[in-house]
Amino acid sequence: MNSPLLEVKNLKKTFPVRTGFFLRQTGEVKAVDDVSFVIHPGETLGLVGESGCGKSTLGRSIIRLYEPDSGEVKFQGEDFLAHAGARLRQARRNMQMIFQDPAAALNPRMTVGQILAEPYKVHRLIGSGERQTKVRQLLSTVGLQSSDVNRYPHEFSGGQKQRICIARTLALEPRLIVADEPVSALDVSIQAQILNLLKDLQEKFRLTYLFISHDLSVIAHVCDRVAVMYLGKIVELATRDELFANPKHPYTKALIQAIPRIGDGKLVIKKSLSGEVPSPLAPPKGCAFHPRCPQKMDRCSRDIPILAAAPGIPNEHQCSCWLLDKEVPK
Ligand code: SF4
């Protein structure tokens, strides 16, 4: 296997909670809590979990839209967190992000041509004549017309707006794209088109994706490996096929069970998880999943399980659950 393109080690990001007239800090939210993983070139790693589990914060912390509190982010072997000024700007060209809401991500006062030319201007890459050619090429790459350059974002559908966002992301020829719920704001009929476009672009430009979604069926469609997040931590990490065939963590099992299926000609949605995600302001002691876990044991409310290789399982499969201790061959 190639060296990783991205290495994330023990990454942490907290947000202060301020209350009262003087906005004194009265607590903190551990949005990303000691997260480690790698992504290899050309791979898609899916990051899945319920809303508020920290997956978007993790994506933003990796490309430093939020500054992490501690930990390491290595990109192409270099310490990305150590970069500053011009070096950081240059390194950022290789790591771009697609946001959930394409309407909010596009400036309504700029034409599509201006939006797509902006990255070239900001990074002072090419002159205005060449910019126009590049902009037209970008539009064609994402399935839009070159005549769209003079139109404004409000003249496009949601799916077309996301295509414009993807085109802007491609302008700087990045190697890694963090796609944060790129289809969840779109109609179901459009979602597959955007997912297929992302797959085609990956092949064409050998892109690497960190693909964030709350929807496990979307993750199953596009990802090579999957990391499951719960309250700021990765609780299971495996190849896609291994995760769906042999889930180990009770939370992963519940998410898989909850995927809607057609049975006897009817849509079957199995509700397999009770309760809400606990507040990250006051996370439960021990395993954070224990208040909702159908298999919890005494030690689960006391000791925090560590993400480690699942015993007796081929391939790279890690899980943080005390049940695995029982599976260790004696
Ligand atoms: Fe459930 Fe305990 Fe495993 Fe947590 S460690 S997922 S509470 S069995």
Side-chain angles (χ1 to χ4, degrees), residues 249-251 287 289-290 293 295-297 300 305 320-323:
H249 198 282
Y251 180 57
C287 170
F289 187 59
H290 86 259
C293 182
Q295 290 171 275
K296 71 176 171 219
M297 303 168 286
C300 299
S320 67
C321 174
W322 292 124
L323 286 171

Side-chain angles (χ1 to χ4, degrees), residues 180-215:
D180 187 5
E181 301 271 9
V183 297
S184 59
L186 305 177
D187 291 342
V188 176
S189 56
I190 306 299
Q191 289 187 1
Q193 293 175 17
I194 298 296
L195 293 176
N196 289 337
L197 172 67
L198 289 171
K199 273 191 151 184
D200 292 346
L201 294 173
Q202 181 171 41
E203 249 175 56
K204 191 168 175 186
F205 300 112
R206 198 165 156 64
L207 295 169
T208 303
Y209 292 132
L210 175 61
F211 193 99
I212 299 169
S213 178
H214 67 280
D215 186 338

Side-chain angles (χ1 to χ4, degrees), residues 4-12 32 34-39 45 58-59 61-63 68 70-75 81 95 176 210 234 237:
L5 182 71
L6 179 77
E7 293 170 75
V8 175
K9 213 168 166 192
N10 306 118
L11 201 70
K12 293 188 181 184
V32 175
D34 204 10
V35 167
S36 303
F37 62 87
V38 299
I39 310 183
L45 177 71
L58 174 57
S61 301
I62 288 168
I63 64 168
S70 62
E72 283 179 26
V73 176
K74 277 193 181 168
F75 184 73
L81 300 185
M95 301 164 92
L176 174 75
L210 175 61
I234 291 179
L237 179 61

